[in-house]
Short mmCIF file of all heavy atoms in Angstrom, two decimals:
data_model
loop_
_atom_site.label_atom_id
_atom_site.label_comp_id
_atom_site.label_asym_id
_atom_site.label_seq_id
_atom_site.Cartn_x
_atom_site.Cartn_y
_atom_site.Cartn_z
N LEU A 43 62.28 122.58 129.02
CA LEU A 43 61.02 121.79 129.20
C LEU A 43 59.93 122.33 128.40
O LEU A 43 59.07 121.63 127.74
CB LEU A 43 60.63 121.70 130.64
CG LEU A 43 61.67 120.92 131.52
CD1 LEU A 43 61.14 120.89 132.98
CD2 LEU A 43 61.84 119.49 131.11
N PHE A 44 59.84 123.71 128.27
CA PHE A 44 58.78 124.28 127.52
C PHE A 44 58.96 124.04 126.11
O PHE A 44 58.06 123.75 125.26
CB PHE A 44 58.71 125.83 127.80
CG PHE A 44 57.73 126.60 126.95
CD1 PHE A 44 56.40 126.56 127.24
CD2 PHE A 44 58.13 127.29 125.73
CE1 PHE A 44 55.41 127.21 126.43
CE2 PHE A 44 57.27 128.02 125.03
CZ PHE A 44 55.85 127.94 125.34
N TRP A 45 60.16 124.19 125.58
CA TRP A 45 60.57 123.96 124.20
C TRP A 45 60.17 122.48 123.80
O TRP A 45 59.63 122.27 122.74
CB TRP A 45 62.11 124.16 123.91
CG TRP A 45 62.54 123.99 122.58
CD1 TRP A 45 61.85 124.00 121.46
CD2 TRP A 45 63.94 123.75 122.24
NE1 TRP A 45 62.61 123.90 120.38
CE2 TRP A 45 63.86 123.57 120.74
CE3 TRP A 45 65.07 123.62 122.84
CZ2 TRP A 45 65.10 123.38 120.09
CZ3 TRP A 45 66.33 123.24 122.17
CH2 TRP A 45 66.18 123.22 120.77
N ARG A 46 60.60 121.52 124.66
CA ARG A 46 60.40 120.08 124.37
C ARG A 46 58.83 119.85 124.38
O ARG A 46 58.31 119.11 123.51
CB ARG A 46 60.94 119.23 125.44
CG ARG A 46 60.75 117.86 125.23
CD ARG A 46 61.40 117.32 123.84
NE ARG A 46 61.30 115.94 123.55
CZ ARG A 46 60.19 115.38 122.92
NH1 ARG A 46 59.27 116.20 122.49
NH2 ARG A 46 60.17 114.16 122.59
N GLY A 47 58.04 120.54 125.22
CA GLY A 47 56.63 120.36 125.17
C GLY A 47 56.06 120.92 123.96
O GLY A 47 55.14 120.34 123.34
N LEU A 48 56.46 122.05 123.49
CA LEU A 48 56.05 122.67 122.19
C LEU A 48 56.30 121.80 121.02
O LEU A 48 55.51 121.65 120.15
CB LEU A 48 56.74 124.06 122.13
CG LEU A 48 56.13 124.92 120.90
CD1 LEU A 48 54.64 125.16 121.14
CD2 LEU A 48 56.99 126.24 120.81
N LEU A 49 57.59 121.27 121.01
CA LEU A 49 57.91 120.23 119.87
C LEU A 49 56.84 118.99 119.87
O LEU A 49 56.46 118.61 118.84
CB LEU A 49 59.41 119.79 120.08
CG LEU A 49 60.35 120.84 119.83
CD1 LEU A 49 61.74 120.15 120.00
CD2 LEU A 49 60.31 121.58 118.55
N ALA A 50 56.60 118.48 121.02
CA ALA A 50 55.70 117.45 121.14
C ALA A 50 54.19 117.85 120.67
O ALA A 50 53.60 117.09 119.94
CB ALA A 50 55.71 116.89 122.52
N TRP A 51 53.83 118.94 121.15
CA TRP A 51 52.49 119.49 120.77
C TRP A 51 52.31 119.73 119.39
O TRP A 51 51.26 119.28 118.75
CB TRP A 51 52.20 120.75 121.62
CG TRP A 51 50.82 121.33 121.44
CD1 TRP A 51 50.43 122.29 120.50
CD2 TRP A 51 49.67 120.95 122.07
NE1 TRP A 51 49.16 122.49 120.66
CE2 TRP A 51 48.63 121.68 121.57
CE3 TRP A 51 49.34 120.08 123.14
CZ2 TRP A 51 47.30 121.61 122.09
CZ3 TRP A 51 48.06 119.86 123.57
CH2 TRP A 51 47.06 120.64 123.06
N GLN A 52 53.31 120.26 118.75
CA GLN A 52 53.30 120.58 117.33
C GLN A 52 53.66 119.37 116.45
O GLN A 52 53.71 119.40 115.17
CB GLN A 52 54.03 121.82 116.98
CG GLN A 52 53.60 123.08 117.73
CD GLN A 52 54.50 124.31 117.46
OE1 GLN A 52 55.65 124.15 116.83
NE2 GLN A 52 54.03 125.44 117.79
N GLY A 53 54.21 118.32 117.00
CA GLY A 53 54.69 117.21 116.21
C GLY A 53 55.94 117.48 115.42
O GLY A 53 56.12 116.78 114.32
N ARG A 54 56.72 118.40 115.82
CA ARG A 54 57.93 118.67 115.05
C ARG A 54 59.00 117.82 115.54
O ARG A 54 59.17 117.23 116.54
CB ARG A 54 58.21 120.17 115.34
CG ARG A 54 57.11 121.12 114.89
CD ARG A 54 57.42 122.60 115.28
NE ARG A 54 58.73 123.08 114.87
CZ ARG A 54 59.25 124.24 115.12
NH1 ARG A 54 58.48 125.03 115.99
NH2 ARG A 54 60.32 124.65 114.66
N PRO A 55 60.21 117.73 114.64
CA PRO A 55 61.30 116.76 114.97
C PRO A 55 62.20 117.38 116.03
O PRO A 55 62.14 118.66 116.31
CB PRO A 55 62.04 116.69 113.67
CG PRO A 55 61.69 117.95 112.94
CD PRO A 55 60.25 118.21 113.28
N LEU A 56 62.85 116.49 116.76
CA LEU A 56 63.73 116.87 117.84
C LEU A 56 64.96 117.62 117.21
O LEU A 56 65.40 117.35 116.15
CB LEU A 56 64.21 115.80 118.64
CG LEU A 56 62.98 115.00 119.41
CD1 LEU A 56 63.56 113.82 120.18
CD2 LEU A 56 62.37 115.98 120.41
N PRO A 57 65.70 118.46 118.09
CA PRO A 57 66.87 119.12 117.59
C PRO A 57 67.97 118.05 117.24
O PRO A 57 67.99 116.97 117.81
CB PRO A 57 67.30 120.10 118.61
CG PRO A 57 66.67 119.60 119.80
CD PRO A 57 65.38 118.86 119.37
N GLY A 58 68.95 118.56 116.55
CA GLY A 58 70.12 117.56 116.22
C GLY A 58 71.15 117.61 117.22
O GLY A 58 71.00 118.08 118.34
N ARG A 59 72.43 117.14 116.83
CA ARG A 59 73.39 116.98 117.92
C ARG A 59 74.13 118.29 118.30
O ARG A 59 74.37 118.50 119.38
CB ARG A 59 74.44 115.91 117.27
CG ARG A 59 75.55 115.78 118.23
CD ARG A 59 76.59 114.65 117.73
NE ARG A 59 75.93 113.48 117.42
CZ ARG A 59 76.51 112.33 116.91
NH1 ARG A 59 77.74 112.43 116.45
NH2 ARG A 59 75.84 111.28 116.76
N TRP A 60 74.25 119.13 117.30
CA TRP A 60 74.98 120.40 117.58
C TRP A 60 74.32 121.30 118.56
O TRP A 60 75.03 121.86 119.45
CB TRP A 60 75.29 121.05 116.17
CG TRP A 60 76.24 120.35 115.45
CD1 TRP A 60 76.04 119.70 114.22
CD2 TRP A 60 77.68 120.17 115.68
NE1 TRP A 60 77.19 119.06 113.75
CE2 TRP A 60 78.27 119.42 114.75
CE3 TRP A 60 78.53 120.58 116.79
CZ2 TRP A 60 79.57 119.06 114.74
CZ3 TRP A 60 79.95 120.28 116.78
CH2 TRP A 60 80.38 119.58 115.64
N PRO A 61 72.99 121.48 118.50
CA PRO A 61 72.36 122.38 119.59
C PRO A 61 72.54 121.74 120.92
O PRO A 61 72.72 122.43 121.95
CB PRO A 61 70.89 122.24 119.09
CG PRO A 61 70.94 122.15 117.65
CD PRO A 61 72.07 121.22 117.44
N LEU A 62 72.51 120.36 120.99
CA LEU A 62 72.75 119.77 122.33
C LEU A 62 74.15 119.96 122.85
O LEU A 62 74.26 120.06 124.05
CB LEU A 62 72.31 118.31 122.27
CG LEU A 62 70.92 117.91 121.97
CD1 LEU A 62 70.63 116.45 121.88
CD2 LEU A 62 69.96 118.43 123.08
N LEU A 63 75.11 119.80 122.04
CA LEU A 63 76.40 120.00 122.33
C LEU A 63 76.71 121.44 122.82
O LEU A 63 77.31 121.76 123.81
CB LEU A 63 77.41 119.66 121.26
CG LEU A 63 77.50 118.23 120.82
CD1 LEU A 63 78.41 117.99 119.59
CD2 LEU A 63 78.03 117.36 121.92
N LEU A 64 75.98 122.47 122.15
CA LEU A 64 76.10 123.80 122.51
C LEU A 64 75.54 124.00 123.92
O LEU A 64 76.07 124.72 124.80
CB LEU A 64 75.44 124.75 121.51
CG LEU A 64 75.53 126.23 121.81
CD1 LEU A 64 76.92 126.70 121.92
CD2 LEU A 64 74.68 127.01 120.79
N LEU A 65 74.39 123.39 124.20
CA LEU A 65 73.72 123.49 125.53
C LEU A 65 74.68 122.83 126.53
O LEU A 65 74.75 123.39 127.78
CB LEU A 65 72.40 122.74 125.49
CG LEU A 65 71.14 123.50 124.99
CD1 LEU A 65 69.86 122.72 124.87
CD2 LEU A 65 70.97 124.72 125.88
N ILE A 66 75.19 121.68 126.37
CA ILE A 66 76.09 121.07 127.30
C ILE A 66 77.24 121.91 127.57
O ILE A 66 77.59 122.19 128.80
CB ILE A 66 76.51 119.66 126.73
CG1 ILE A 66 75.24 118.79 126.78
CG2 ILE A 66 77.63 119.13 127.66
CD1 ILE A 66 75.62 117.47 126.15
N ALA A 67 77.86 122.56 126.55
CA ALA A 67 79.12 123.37 126.81
C ALA A 67 78.64 124.61 127.60
O ALA A 67 79.34 124.99 128.52
CB ALA A 67 79.66 123.80 125.49
N THR A 68 77.46 125.19 127.29
CA THR A 68 76.98 126.41 128.02
C THR A 68 76.73 126.04 129.47
O THR A 68 77.03 126.81 130.50
CB THR A 68 75.72 126.90 127.42
OG1 THR A 68 75.99 127.17 126.03
CG2 THR A 68 75.21 128.17 128.12
N THR A 69 76.20 124.89 129.73
CA THR A 69 75.86 124.43 131.20
C THR A 69 77.12 124.23 131.93
O THR A 69 77.23 124.75 133.06
CB THR A 69 75.04 123.15 131.13
OG1 THR A 69 73.77 123.41 130.42
CG2 THR A 69 74.74 122.65 132.49
N ALA A 70 77.98 123.56 131.40
CA ALA A 70 79.40 123.34 132.03
C ALA A 70 80.06 124.67 132.33
O ALA A 70 80.62 124.90 133.46
CB ALA A 70 80.24 122.45 131.20
N GLY A 71 80.04 125.52 131.38
CA GLY A 71 80.66 126.84 131.52
C GLY A 71 80.11 127.64 132.62
O GLY A 71 80.72 128.24 133.53
N LEU A 72 78.71 127.74 132.67
CA LEU A 72 78.04 128.52 133.66
C LEU A 72 78.17 127.93 134.99
O LEU A 72 78.31 128.49 136.10
CB LEU A 72 76.55 128.64 133.28
CG LEU A 72 76.14 129.55 132.13
CD1 LEU A 72 74.77 129.47 131.77
CD2 LEU A 72 76.52 130.99 132.43
N THR A 73 78.20 126.58 135.07
CA THR A 73 78.36 125.82 136.34
C THR A 73 79.75 126.18 136.84
O THR A 73 79.84 126.46 138.09
CB THR A 73 78.17 124.30 136.15
OG1 THR A 73 76.90 124.13 135.71
CG2 THR A 73 78.40 123.61 137.57
N LEU A 74 80.79 126.12 136.11
CA LEU A 74 82.18 126.34 136.49
C LEU A 74 82.23 127.79 136.87
O LEU A 74 82.86 128.15 137.90
CB LEU A 74 83.11 126.12 135.40
CG LEU A 74 84.54 126.16 135.64
CD1 LEU A 74 84.91 125.07 136.71
CD2 LEU A 74 85.38 125.85 134.42
N LEU A 75 81.69 128.78 136.28
CA LEU A 75 81.63 130.19 136.51
C LEU A 75 80.99 130.45 137.89
O LEU A 75 81.44 131.31 138.63
CB LEU A 75 81.01 131.00 135.39
CG LEU A 75 81.04 132.46 135.56
CD1 LEU A 75 82.51 133.07 135.40
CD2 LEU A 75 80.19 133.28 134.48
#
């Protein structure tokens, strides 16, 4: 949420697909663990 707010404040573009896929895989792995 802080990262997304910083991007909006600075007017920078949103991340691409690969960072999001990495976050999803990390979340699923930590949840399973």
